[in-house]
């Protein structure tokens, strides 16, 4: 088959601007071949090159004594003591999931799991943060069913417990859902595998599933806005096979034990191209690939297709040649492909040969590091007007508006479709705050959470960015965990619009300040831009995935409130209702400023809670929905009523930060209040647990009835 | 007591099952699916949860025809103990070591939650540590756990006291709320719920511990 001629239309169809094409001409000094054009477009699209975001990502704090490896590798590596490390990352699969929800979500999970086990870590926990359009939108129901089944279908079969996540609905996601998949793995701290190749003349080995035409051009698609031709993009979505991924993971774990691996890299976005270039560039080597040796699923695949295929469950490795037979035996055992497809070379070249014909011959280091980088114009988000006409509501009506909404009802319909306990180390399943697992065979526990409040970020990107980190920190603290580190999944609209870029810059500033103050550096992340349909951007959604350590199982806070327990609020309540859940769900208003985040108070209150964990039976972070929702959730999970003396809307539904609600025995409550007073931490006794009613200042409803509403809302909305 | 746990390429609860058996005092060997023989002197073989061969075709259908399953059938024919959990139960029905079949859940969704089970009989090694009629809370996690059999088979299972566990609140549409059954000689058991996920205090639930404790103490020669 003749390669197409390079025309301006073809260049544009590859997502390359005329300026970017000029740059290619300067680098190689001639017109590129069709395959070369494809390779450049794969390396230089937003998804792979971070060309709009890099300038700002560099400002994020990524270091700390706990950090073994920060951003730049497949996932971040963090020390958890005893020569053990937790390796984690969060990544989006937004565009594919909107086009083909089951496979889009499934391969999102598959991709993030590979990022983790490529580094030598066995995956031990997963989370998923999902954002959908409004309940009534024609696509939402199909997306909810498809995405949730896809996440479950892949993770359940692979065998990783899904221990947390988020599910939200807002009309801003009507044309562009978000699927942010998180995975964490466990490895010995001195046995981490990196992607940098080393040594000349070493075999480059292709591992895993065969290459097909699926996903060709996927990364370019993921970097474009959507319009009504979207259905035509379905063939660019990859198809996942979790059974192959499971075998690939087990085979890699065995292979890594043999000493045969010099370096290893999973084939994710832009498949063979990105993985080979990355290994060569990091090792300052060239790579030659002989494509006729690539195991193919389909006949007559061209060099262009093989280089851009995003077929799943594949890895590329540089092999220690002395151990070739040992390595091959491992892959034979697991019935997976193992093919030497090329070698490392001394010259700085990315040489692609098919049946003796050179299809691409590019300077490798330029290909990797000369991707354009933009300092996109941005404007600061205008200061939000303070909220006027704050709502006044009967507190039970207010609570019902929240727990009867798809945003704040129980998400059991979702997480019960995920295996939350495979590996038999799950200590705390999803539902309320952070998920917790045991570090297998030790007394240590790890806690996981994922948080962001997009309404806040839109109103005030800096405070919203801080809040996402602060809420993650509080969720970890509330189970007794010390926050270790974070991963950021930045989902935004079109960065070529200065106001969108301003949201991005503001959020980065807020996140940066918060991770310093709370000592949870960013160790990995992902940026997803152009989340727009027909010019309508999503809510800015910088999802923060966070991991915390509980050094000993005895330090876990995992109780449930008991009849007679007192309810203590830690932190100061001022009654901030701007951008609150109550305002949104009751009146459909997204008005006012986001709550201010006092990072010093966050740290102080978190430290206080950890220091006094023995006085705490159960704790819950206070975030959207305020005290009313948090207290209800605690009561509901415990099956006991709750009474709060106040019926004031602002007190019950305000979303002031740096607060926790605590259930503890009357004696411990007194000790806790005394300790708080001595430590200068605001704390107040606001009510108690017990009985069968939810009673806010004398206005009450039976817990059972509220519980039914809470538990059935999601099902009624999407299953009926 | 010597136990073996079978490892299919898509098994993902094999380690969990081995840990629970070891904690109960068993000596455990993992057996690869391509092996045609079980280790010598094995008393009990566990078939773990997971997705044996990806669960393509039908859950457990390919596994039922793998080399190790022939060895498993021979072990059962000799009167050996065999138990399958979740995918393991599916494999045992596909291999015809147990009657009936596991269909897709009645509401068609995968479901993972902790459910109440009634111990329907104590007349087996697996259930000997429990009291008859006791309620235990055990996690389930499956897409195809809807037990079905013809009326005659169900009547036989009931008549011969071969229902081991019953769901308190039927989560998947299983006939007669059946969660686990026994073979005619009461030595082969299949169940959808996962006792290995509820066998240690640090898992927050120890209701499944008796399953392994009962098994080990019943088999160890007095």
């Amino acid at each position: 088959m003749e390669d197409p001629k390079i025309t301006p239309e073809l260049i544009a169809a590859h997502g390359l601007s005329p300026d970017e094409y000029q740059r290619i001409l300067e680098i190689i000094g001639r017109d590129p071949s069709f395959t070369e054009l494809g390779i450049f477009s794969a390396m230089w699209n937003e998804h792979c090159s971070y060309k709009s975001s890099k300038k700002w990502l560099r400002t994020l704090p990524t270091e700390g004594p706990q950090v073994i490896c920060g951003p730049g590798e497949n996932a971040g590596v963090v020390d958890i003591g005893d020569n053990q490390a937790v390796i984690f990352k969060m990544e989006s699969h937004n565009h594919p999931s909107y086009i083909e929800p089951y496979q889009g979500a499934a391969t999102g999970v598959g991709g993030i799991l590979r990022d983790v086990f490529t580094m030598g870590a066995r995956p031990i926990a997963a989370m998923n943060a999902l954002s959908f359009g409004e309940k009534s939108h024609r696509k939402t129901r199909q997306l909810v069913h498809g995405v949730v089944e896809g996440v479950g279908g892949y993770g359940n079969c692979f065998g990783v417990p899904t221990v947390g996540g988020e599910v939200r609905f807002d009309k801003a996601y009507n044309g562009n859902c978000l699927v942010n998949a998180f995975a964490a793995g466990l490895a010995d701290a001195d046995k981490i595998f990196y992607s940098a190749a080393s040594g000349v003349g070493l075999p480059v080995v292709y591992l895993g599933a065969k290459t097909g035409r699926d996903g060709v051009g996927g990364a370019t698609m993921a970097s474009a806005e959507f319009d009504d031709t979207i259905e035509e993009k379905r063939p660019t979505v990859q198809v996942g096979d979790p059974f192959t991924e499971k075998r690939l993971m087990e085979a890699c774990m065995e292979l890594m034990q043999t000493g045969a691996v010099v370096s290893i890299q999973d084939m994710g976005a832009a498949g063979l191209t990105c993985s080979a270039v990355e290994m060569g560039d990091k090792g300052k080597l060239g790579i030659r690939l002989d494509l006729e040796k690539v195991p193919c699923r389909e006949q007559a695949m061209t060099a262009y297709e093989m280089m851009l295929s995003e077929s799943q469950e594949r890895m590329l490795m540089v092999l220690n040649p002395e151990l070739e037979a040992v390595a091959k035996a491992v892959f034979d055992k697991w019935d997976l492909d193992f093919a030497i497809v090329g070698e490392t070379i001394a010259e700085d070249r990315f040489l692609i040969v098919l049946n003796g014909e050179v299809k691409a011959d590019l300077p490798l280091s330029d290909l990797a590091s000369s991707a354009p980088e933009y300092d996109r114009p941005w404007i600061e988000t205008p200061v939000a007007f303070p909220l006027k006409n704050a709502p006044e509501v009967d507190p039970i009506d207010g609570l019902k508006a929240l727990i009867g909404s798809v945003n704040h009802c129980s998400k059991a319909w979702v997480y019960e479709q995920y295996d939350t306990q495979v590996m038999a180390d799950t200590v705390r399943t999803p539902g309320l705050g952070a998920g917790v697992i045991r570090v297998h065979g030790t007394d240590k526990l790890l806690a996981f959470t994922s948080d962001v409040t997009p309404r806040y970020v839109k109103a005030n990107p800096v405070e919203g960015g801080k809040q996402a980190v602060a809420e993650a920190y509080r969720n970890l603290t509330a189970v007794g965990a010390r926050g270790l580190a974070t991963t950021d999944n930045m989902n935004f609209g079109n960065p070529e619009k200065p106001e969108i870029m301003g949201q991005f810059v503001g959020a980065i500033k807020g996140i940066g300040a918060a991770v310093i103050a709370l000592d949870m550096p960013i160790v990995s992340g992902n940026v997803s831009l152009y989340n727009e349909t027909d010019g309508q951007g999503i809510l800015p959604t910088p999802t923060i995935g966070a991991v915390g350590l509980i050094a000993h199982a005895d330090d876990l806070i995992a109780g449930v409130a008991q009849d007679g327990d007192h309810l203590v609020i830690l932190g100061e309540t001022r009654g901030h209702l701007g951008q609150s859940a109550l305002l949104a769900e009751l009146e459909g208003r997204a008005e006012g400023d986001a709550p201010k985040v006092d990072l010093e108070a966050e740290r102080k209150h978190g430290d206080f809670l950890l220091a006094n964990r023995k006085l705490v039976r159960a704790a819950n972070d206070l975030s959207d929905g305020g005290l009313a929702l948090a207290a209800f959730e605690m009561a509901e999970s415990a099956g006991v009523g709750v009474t709060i003396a106040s019926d004031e809307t602002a007190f019950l539904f305000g979303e002031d930060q740096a607060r926790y609600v605590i259930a503890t025995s009357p004696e411990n409550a007194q000790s806790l209040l005394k300790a708080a007073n001595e430590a200068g931490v605001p704390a107040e006794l606001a009510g108690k647990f017990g009985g069968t009613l939810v009673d806010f200042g004398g206005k009450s409803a039976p817990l059972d009835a509220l519980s039914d509403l809470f538990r059935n809302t999601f099902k009624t909305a999407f299953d009926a | 007591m010597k136990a073996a746990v079978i490892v299919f390429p898509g098994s993902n609860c094999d380690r969990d099952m081995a840990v629970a058996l070891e904690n109960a005092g068993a000596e455990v060997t993992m057996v690869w699916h391509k092996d045609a023989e079980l280790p010598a002197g094995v008393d009990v073989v566990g078939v773990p949860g997971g997705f044996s061969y990806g669960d393509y075709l039908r859950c457990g259908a390919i596994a039922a025809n793998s080399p190790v399953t022939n060895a498993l059938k021979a072990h059962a024919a000799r009167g050996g103990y065999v138990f399958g959990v979740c995918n393991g139960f599916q494999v045992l029905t596909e291999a015809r070591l147990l009657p009936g079949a596991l269909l897709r859940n009645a509401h068609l969704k995968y479901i993972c939650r902790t459910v109440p089970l009634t111990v329907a009989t104590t007349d087996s090694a697996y259930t000997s540590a429990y009291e008859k009629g006791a309620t235990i809370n055990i996690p389930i996690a499956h897409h195809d756990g809807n037990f079905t059999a013809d009326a005659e088979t169900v009547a036989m299972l009931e008549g011969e006291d071969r229902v081991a566990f019953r769901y308190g609140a039927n989560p998947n549409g299983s006939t007669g709320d059946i969660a686990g059954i026994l073979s005619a000689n009461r030595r082969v058991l299949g169940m959808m719920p996962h006792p290995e996920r509820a066998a240690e205090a640090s898992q927050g639930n120890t209701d499944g511990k008796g399953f392994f404790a009962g098994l080990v103490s019943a088999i160890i020669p007095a």
Side-chain angles (χ1 to χ4, degrees):
Chain A
M1 195 173 70
E2 195 79 357
D3 281 342
K5 224 168 106 57
I6 310 291
T7 62
E9 292 74 38
L10 190 71
I11 293 162
H14 280 77
L16 292 163
S17 70
D19 286 352
E20 288 170 350
Y21 187 68
Q22 270 310 312
R23 196 173 173 131
I24 293 174
L25 295 181
E26 282 160 28
I27 289 173
I28 63 175
R30 59 177 167 80
D31 286 341
S33 70
F34 180 55
T35 304
E36 288 173 338
L37 184 72
I39 289 172
F40 269 108
S41 89
M43 291 302 299
W44 284 12
N45 66 61
E46 190 70 55
H47 186 79
C48 294
S49 72
Y50 296 91
K51 60 191 169 190
S52 300
S53 56
K54 217 188 257 174
K55 171 187 160 79
W56 296 101
L57 295 176
R58 272 194 211 104
T59 67
L60 285 170
T62 60
E63 290 174 355
Q66 70 273 46
V67 179
I68 295 173
C69 174
E73 283 290 336
N74 286 290
V77 184
V78 179
D79 192 353
I80 57 167
D82 311 311
N83 191 38
Q84 289 184 303
V86 60
I87 287 103
F88 64 92
K89 186 181 178 182
M90 190 175 236
E91 194 163 85
S92 62
H93 229 212
N94 304 337
H95 292 74
S97 300
Y98 191 77
I99 298 171
E100 169 51 58
Y102 185 96
Q103 292 298 343
T107 53
V109 174
I112 198 68
L113 289 168
R114 263 189 323 279
D115 277 334
V116 164
F117 70 75
T118 303
M119 300 198 71
R122 179 175 287 272
I124 52 167
M127 296 193 286
N128 251 278
L130 312 175
S131 305
F132 298 106
E134 60 200 330
K135 184 175 73 173
S136 57
H137 188 264
R138 63 183 173 82
K139 285 275 286 181
T140 301
R141 183 192 165 98
Q142 175 215 355
L143 289 172
V144 168
H145 279 267
V147 165
V148 171
E149 281 174 28
V151 168
Y154 206 100
N156 297 349
C157 176
F158 178 85
V160 63
T162 299
V163 299
E166 299 173 272
V167 185
R168 75 174 59 80
F169 299 86
D170 190 289
K171 65 177 186 302
Y173 305 104
N174 278 352
N176 219 129
C177 66
L178 303 184
V179 175
N180 293 177
F182 168 101
L186 184 70
D188 288 347
D190 58 357
K191 292 190 187 115
I192 309 291
F193 287 79
Y194 296 101
S195 56
S198 65
V200 171
L202 298 185
V204 173
V205 184
Y206 173 111
L207 305 170
K210 294 186 197 308
T211 295
R213 291 196 171 91
D214 47 337
V216 172
T220 308
M221 176 271 290
S223 305
E225 278 185 41
F226 279 168
D227 52 30
D228 49 17
T229 64
I230 178 186
E231 295 296 334
E232 295 168 15
K233 291 179 173 144
R234 277 180 72 160
T236 58
V237 177
Q238 317 87 317
V239 176
D241 176 10
F243 174 57
T244 299
E245 178 108 329
K246 158 79 174 165
R247 290 182 293 141
L248 182 61
M249 184 270 289
E250 295 290 357
C252 285
M253 293 290 115
E254 284 184 26
L255 182 68
M256 286 163 171
Q257 301 284 324
T258 66
V261 180
V262 175
S263 75
I264 187 161
Q265 173 79 20
D266 80 297
M267 292 193 222
L272 202 47
T273 296
C274 264
S275 56
V277 170
E278 184 124 358
M279 291 208 301
D281 181 55
K282 287 204 170 121
K284 301 197 186 328
L285 291 166
I287 303 268
R288 175 193 166 114
L289 297 177
D290 292 286
L291 294 183
E292 67 278 4
K293 295 176 183 160
V294 170
C296 285
R297 202 196 303 140
E298 297 169 66
Q299 289 187 339
M301 286 189 66
T302 64
Y304 177 92
E305 290 168 335
M306 281 192 249
M307 292 310 293
L308 296 192
S309 164
E310 294 194 358
S311 289
Q312 299 290 292
E313 294 95 25
R314 301 180 301 159
M315 296 275 202
L316 203 62
M317 158 179 91
V318 175
L319 172 74
N320 173 353
E322 288 166 21
L323 292 171
E324 183 185 333
V326 176
K328 186 165 186 315
V330 170
F331 276 73
D332 286 347
K333 173 185 165 187
W334 290 95
D335 300 311
L336 291 164
D337 272 300
F338 175 100
I340 295 178
V341 296
E343 61 172 351
T344 56
I345 54 180
E347 312 94 86
D348 178 19
R349 287 171 85 183
F350 190 44
L351 184 60
I352 306 303
V353 183
L354 177 61
N355 295 320
E357 188 185 337
V358 174
K359 289 294 191 177
D361 187 355
L362 299 168
L364 191 143
S365 59
D366 279 340
L367 188 57
S369 44
S370 300
E373 192 179 320
Y374 297 120
D375 184 1
R376 303 262 189 213
W378 59 281
I379 50 172
E380 206 157 304
T381 303
V383 176
F385 292 108
L387 177 65
K388 285 187 191 142
N389 307 320
E392 284 288 337
V393 64
D394 174 281
I396 298 298
D397 290 346
L399 179 64
K400 284 182 178 169
L402 294 178
I403 64 177
S405 76
V406 287
N407 275 311
H408 305 286
C409 66
S410 165
K411 302 301 183 333
W413 186 92
V414 175
Y415 62 74
E416 287 189 347
Q417 293 187 55
Y418 305 152
D419 192 337
T420 57
Q421 288 167 301
V422 62
M423 302 184 92
D425 283 321
T426 304
V427 173
R428 207 169 188 275
T429 53
L432 194 56
V436 179
I437 60 141
R438 304 185 295 189
V439 177
H440 192 73
T442 74
D443 289 326
K444 290 182 290 196
L445 307 175
L446 287 169
F448 302 90
T449 184
S450 137
D451 298 283
V452 62
T453 311
R455 247 191 336 267
Y456 295 171
V457 187
K458 185 168 187 199
N460 187 334
V462 177
E463 290 304 312
K466 283 185 202 167
Q467 195 277 339
V469 178
E471 186 175 338
Y473 168 83
R474 291 198 300 270
N475 273 320
L476 297 177
T477 307
V479 297
R482 169 72 65 192
L484 275 179
T486 44
T487 179
D488 60 337
N489 198 154
M490 310 289 290
N491 308 273
F492 288 78
N494 182 347
E496 295 163 38
K497 297 179 182 168
E499 62 277 20
I500 300 285
M501 202 57 210
Q503 294 173 344
F504 184 84
V505 172
I508 288 274
K509 289 180 178 174
I511 290 168
V515 300
I516 288 182
L518 303 174
D519 192 17
M520 299 201 298
I522 301 273
V523 295
S524 57
N526 166 250
V527 178
S528 172
L529 301 173
Y530 298 96
N531 289 291
E532 300 206 353
T533 298
D534 297 329
Q536 288 298 306
I538 57 161
L539 289 177
T541 312
T543 310
I544 298 295
V547 179
L549 176 67
I550 301 171
H552 193 279
D554 292 346
D555 295 333
L556 172 71
I557 302 173
V560 293
Q562 300 193 354
D563 205 318
D565 274 358
H566 281 180
L567 183 155
V568 175
I569 304 172
L570 209 61
E572 190 182 359
T573 304
R574 293 180 180 169
H576 183 99
L577 285 168
Q579 299 298 342
S580 64
L582 183 72
L583 198 62
E585 300 298 344
L586 194 67
E587 302 184 352
R589 292 159 70 196
E591 294 170 18
D593 199 354
K596 289 277 174 291
V597 181
D598 177 345
L599 292 169
E600 209 175 308
E602 290 285 358
R603 184 67 193 256
K604 187 171 176 184
H605 301 176
D607 283 345
F608 174 80
L609 179 57
L610 291 181
N612 291 281
R613 53 163 71 89
K614 297 289 175 239
L615 297 174
V616 174
R617 183 160 5 242
N620 197 2
D621 135 68
L622 274 176
S623 52
D624 53 353
L627 176 63
L629 184 61
F632 168 77
E633 286 173 346
M634 288 175 81
E636 206 278 335
S637 69
V640 298
V642 62
T643 300
I644 293 172
S646 170
D647 69 349
E648 259 182 79
T649 302
F651 181 78
L652 288 167
F653 295 96
E655 299 185 359
D656 313 277
Q657 299 295 300
R659 295 187 304 153
Y660 300 84
V661 54
I662 286 164
T664 192
S665 67
E667 309 78 62
N668 282 343
Q670 288 314 310
S671 310
L672 193 66
L673 291 169
K674 186 163 171 284
N677 187 35
E678 283 163 9
V681 172
E684 62 181 303
L685 186 63
K688 62 180 187 183
F689 291 93
T692 58
L693 297 178
V694 172
D695 183 321
F696 296 149
K699 314 273 175 37
S700 70
L703 177 65
D704 283 354
L706 295 172
S707 184
D708 282 346
L709 178 64
F710 181 65
R711 292 186 183 207
N712 292 327
T713 293
F714 205 96
K715 199 172 148 133
T716 307
F718 296 109
D719 233 4
Chain B
M1 182 192 96
K2 286 193 172 168
V5 173
I6 292 181
V7 184
F8 295 109
S11 296
N12 60 29
C13 303
D14 44 334
R15 183 191 75 179
D16 312 352
M17 185 180 267
V19 168
L21 283 164
E22 276 166 4
N23 286 342
E27 186 188 313
V28 183
T29 310
M30 308 305 274
V31 181
W32 186 236
H33 67 111
K34 292 178 184 172
D35 293 350
E37 282 180 39
L38 295 169
V42 159
D43 299 300
V44 58
V45 184
V47 189
F51 289 71
S52 45
Y53 291 88
D55 280 357
Y56 295 121
L57 188 59
R58 277 192 318 276
C59 300
I62 302 173
N65 294 291
S66 71
V68 78
T69 306
N70 290 329
L72 188 71
K73 286 179 181 170
H75 176 76
R78 285 194 299 270
Y81 287 85
V82 176
F83 73 100
V85 169
C86 200
N87 190 227
F89 187 12
Q90 295 163 343
V91 173
L92 295 182
T93 59
E94 287 286 345
R96 310 315 300 160
L97 286 170
L98 288 171
L102 284 312
L103 304 182
R104 184 131 290 199
N105 294 344
H107 67 312
L108 304 180
K109 298 279 189 195
Y110 185 97
I111 183 158
C112 175
R113 79 162 72 119
T114 297
V115 300
L117 297 181
T118 305
V119 179
T121 180
T122 52
D123 184 12
S124 81
Y126 309 97
T127 54
S128 57
Y130 296 108
E131 280 181 33
K132 191 174 165 81
T135 297
I136 56 174
N137 291 301
I138 303 290
I140 57 167
H142 57 248
H143 211 157
D144 301 79
N146 179 356
F147 180 80
T148 192
D150 57 47
E152 206 177 313
T153 304
V154 173
M156 175 189 73
L157 290 171
E158 299 284 1
E160 296 176 3
D161 189 29
R162 285 167 56 187
V163 176
F165 299 103
R166 253 184 248 280
Y167 296 112
N170 194 328
N172 54 25
S174 288
T175 304
D177 301 328
I178 290 172
I181 56 170
L182 292 158
S183 61
N185 71 357
R186 316 191 80 76
R187 291 187 169 198
V188 180
L189 170 138
M191 64 191 292
M192 289 311 296
H194 288 271
E196 76 279 10
R197 297 184 181 187
E200 284 179 69
S202 58
Q203 290 167 325
N205 179 359
T206 54
D207 283 7
K209 199 171 176 174
F211 180 90
F212 300 97
L215 177 61
V216 171
S217 63
I219 293 177
I220 287 174

